[in-house]
Amino acid sequence: MKNKIYTYLFYGIIFFIDVSVLSCSSDDPVQFYNEGTNEYINEWIYQQMKKYYRWSDTMPAQGDLSANPKEYFGKLLQKDDIYSYAIHPEKPETAIQSLRQKFGFDVSFFEFEGKYYAVILYVLADSPAKNNGLKRGNLITHISGTELNAGNYDQLYKNMIASSQLNLKLTSYSAQSGFSNPKEISLSQGFSFTQPMPYQVITNASTKIGYIEISHFDVGQAQLYLQLFKELKSKAITEMVLDLRYNGGGDVASAAALSIILAPNIKSSDLFIKFEGNANGGKVDQSFKQALESNETKVSFEALQSAHPSINRIYVLCGNRTASASELIINNLKPYMEVIAIGEKTFGKDVAGFSIEDDRIAGKKGWVLYPAIYKLFNARNEGNYSKGINPTIAVNEIQQLEVFPLGNTSEVLLNNALNVMAGNASKMKTTTLKSLSISTSNTDADPLLILVQ
């Protein structure tokens, strides 16, 4: 059996680290089981977790190896580990599901004047949601014919995630026109692929501000960063807003590439990230150059650094769907520049790992494990944000019935950033609605197709 490292685009960061940094030996007697049985699978799962899992020292004994493999894997995890998971590529029911993954959008719930709504937060390009006319700011009033209320909205959200077909009743709202354009739509589950990276230059008084929205840190994205930031630099921007509020993570080399462009006066040898594993994995440090080259060969450190605009700080728009590699940007740039996070507390994924595939049976796909393998720290050894990173300026982006498009200067978080830059931080609207929580833990899984390298 060999451990394969894949470029899966999944919930949060995937770090491409040489598996040889992990090694272990065991004097335990080897027990053999019939191929394909639960015992055969679970014994392999247990051994892999003992070798790689960050909290392997807290794992229970092997226990009942005849259990369902997914349930067995779950029982090995530390109590507060909500990151690690296992899937079987031939068993769709084992995959983690989300509205974004299935339909290309997600929502937030609120109550206003006794009525309950789900507001569309974002819509991915070329997704079932986009192709059926959904857009940010649409208000959902009914799901599968049932009107939202205080007692059912949470369960209706869970039902949507579990469904392959959605029937929604929508309306729109603007301060100028009020409620308008009611309609019903049906969505079927489908794929969304590589997303665009919208950017612009905003002139606020005499200040030129770069704005860029990144939905995921993809493998090979460094070339696009280089192109976009060269253009932003040519426009003589002096401030930068990075919108990561719906970015659930991705590739560390991609995050490192962006960090190289953003951070002023860094050297290729400067420490970017520190990994802390179990007794087998130990501690691994990577410089900016090493982190970049872990999965990026087409763009050099020097080329990326040449695109650095005249900025010494960065504004990051964030929220509870900002996770993993996005949180890495916030935490790991702090030793090198001022990072002003605006929005809500981030998700809190301060771990990294790689996929481990059971390929012992030739020609047959086996279980794939995604355990938390390393805890993450910046150059000042700052980390431990499993409960999320608190924003510098706390703001709920859903404050009024009218929700503006991302990148619109009237949009709440961007408008707040612009006001802070202009010294007008007090010019904030008062919230007139009540946000509602949901019981489902949502890491905002990226919907991009799983790729194998």
Side-chain angles (χ1 to χ4, degrees):
M1 188 277 295
K2 58 184 178 180
N3 296 308
K4 297 181 178 179
I5 300 179
Y6 287 85
T7 57
Y8 282 93
L9 303 183
F10 71 105
Y11 288 59
I13 293 179
I14 311 239
F15 290 95
F16 300 89
I17 302 169
D18 191 337
V19 180
S20 65
V21 301
L22 299 176
S23 63
C24 76
S25 60
S26 175
D27 297 325
D28 295 337
V30 177
Q31 177 71 49
F32 294 96
Y33 299 98
N34 292 330
E35 288 187 356
T37 62
N38 284 353
E39 291 83 356
Y40 177 81
I41 296 166
N42 290 335
E43 195 274 337
W44 173 84
I45 289 176
Y46 190 84
Q47 296 305 323
Q48 301 310 307
M49 293 292 283
K50 286 297 288 185
K51 180 185 291 187
Y52 297 109
Y53 188 46
R54 172 61 183 81
W55 298 284
S56 59
D57 57 345
T58 66
M59 282 173 51
Q62 276 195 339
D64 180 14
L65 293 176
S66 66
N68 173 280
K70 192 169 183 69
E71 295 176 1
Y72 181 81
F73 176 84
K75 291 179 179 179
L76 300 181
L77 304 181
Q78 182 170 276
K79 184 178 180 180
D80 59 354
D81 179 4
I82 60 173
Y83 319 109
S84 302
Y85 64 98
I87 64 172
H88 194 293
E90 295 178 346
K91 300 178 186 294
E93 69 275 11
T94 66
I96 296 176
Q97 300 179 348
S98 72
L99 287 180
R100 176 169 174 167
Q101 182 186 55
K102 285 185 166 185
F103 304 103
F105 76 101
D106 205 356
V107 299
S108 181
F109 293 87
F110 65 85
E111 179 267 331
F112 178 75
E113 295 183 348
K115 293 284 188 178
Y116 289 77
Y117 302 90
V119 59
I120 304 292
L121 296 173
Y122 61 82
V123 178
L124 295 172
D126 198 28
S127 65
K130 179 72 171 181
N131 295 337
N132 282 275
L134 262 67
K135 61 182 181 180
R136 175 176 164 86
N138 284 156
L139 301 175
I140 300 174
T141 59
H142 295 69
I143 298 172
S144 299
T146 301
E147 185 174 9
L148 295 172
N149 62 47
N152 67 14
Y153 76 89
D154 189 61
Q155 185 58 51
L156 289 174
Y157 180 65
K158 294 177 183 177
N159 293 347
M160 284 200 296
I161 293 174
S163 299
S164 58
Q165 180 83 24
L166 297 181
N167 295 295
L168 307 174
K169 187 174 181 179
L170 308 171
T171 188
S172 298
Y173 180 88
S174 71
Q176 183 177 8
S177 305
F179 291 100
S180 63
N181 194 29
K183 60 182 177 180
E184 295 186 27
I185 66 166
S186 294
L187 298 177
S188 296
Q189 180 177 338
F191 289 111
S192 303
F193 297 93
T194 302
Q195 296 299 300
M197 199 178 296
Y199 70 102
Q200 61 178 309
V201 174
I202 301 167
T203 301
N204 190 25
S206 60
T207 304
K208 290 186 176 181
I209 303 153
Y211 169 89
I212 185 168
E213 175 200 337
I214 303 177
S215 63
H216 185 266
F217 287 106
D218 292 338
V219 176
Q221 209 156 260
Q223 288 181 305
L224 182 54
Y225 297 149
L226 185 60
Q227 174 187 338
L228 298 188
F229 276 90
K230 279 185 174 179
E231 182 170 345
L232 292 174
K233 183 177 181 178
S234 72
K235 303 294 185 182
I237 66 169
T238 56
E239 297 281 10
M240 186 69 213
V241 178
L242 186 63
D243 198 335
L244 299 179
R245 75 185 85 179
Y246 304 125
N247 187 317
D251 174 35
V252 68
S254 178
L258 180 60
S259 299
I260 291 167
I261 293 175
L262 295 173
N265 305 315
I266 58 169
K267 300 186 295 293
S268 63
S269 59
D270 284 340
L271 182 59
F272 175 60
I273 186 169
K274 303 176 75 171
F275 303 90
E276 184 182 279
N278 63 14
N280 297 317
K283 297 181 179 180
V284 180
D285 294 346
Q286 286 189 347
S287 66
F288 282 93
K289 181 179 174 65
Q290 289 171 326
L292 173 69
E293 294 178 349
S294 66
N295 203 39
E296 176 58 65
T297 59
K298 294 182 178 179
V299 181
S300 68
F301 174 92
E302 292 75 19
L304 292 168
Q305 193 175 46
S306 71
H308 172 73
S310 296
I311 60 172
N312 292 305
R313 62 183 176 185
I314 184 172
Y315 294 82
V316 178
L317 308 185
C318 61
N320 58 17
R321 291 166 174 80
T322 303
S324 205
S326 296
E327 293 170 300
L328 192 72
I329 293 290
I330 297 171
N331 188 60
N332 288 38
L333 277 178
K334 285 181 179 179
Y336 300 101
M337 68 189 307
E338 183 181 8
V339 179
I340 302 169
I342 299 176
E344 295 183 277
K345 181 186 287 188
T346 65
F347 179 78
K349 187 169 185 180
D350 62 343
V351 295
F354 45 76
S355 61
I356 305 169
E357 179 187 352
D358 183 1
D359 60 357
R360 294 173 295 171
I361 303 176
K364 186 174 181 180
K365 294 182 178 179
W367 283 84
V368 183
L369 310 182
Y370 294 94
I373 297 174
Y374 291 101
K375 289 278 283 185
L376 309 176
F377 301 88
N378 66 19
R380 295 195 297 232
N381 208 40
E382 296 166 335
N384 290 317
Y385 46 87
S386 60
K387 301 300 182 183
I389 299 173
N390 288 313
T392 314
I393 302 170
V395 184
N396 185 337
E397 68 167 320
I398 307 301
Q399 298 195 7
Q400 308 287 330
L401 277 177
E402 184 170 14
V403 177
F404 291 95
L406 299 181
N408 186 307
T409 56
S410 294
E411 189 278 316
V412 171
L413 297 193
L414 178 55
N415 185 258
N416 187 282
L418 298 177
N419 282 332
V420 172
M421 292 176 201
N424 298 322
S426 62
K427 292 185 177 181
M428 290 301 299
K429 294 181 179 179
T430 303
T431 302
T432 60
L433 49 81
K434 178 183 176 182
S435 294
L436 303 172
S437 61
I438 54 175
S439 59
T440 301
S441 177
N442 185 358
T443 52
D444 204 12
D446 193 283
L448 302 182
L449 185 66
I450 292 175
L451 305 175
V452 178
Q453 176 172 293

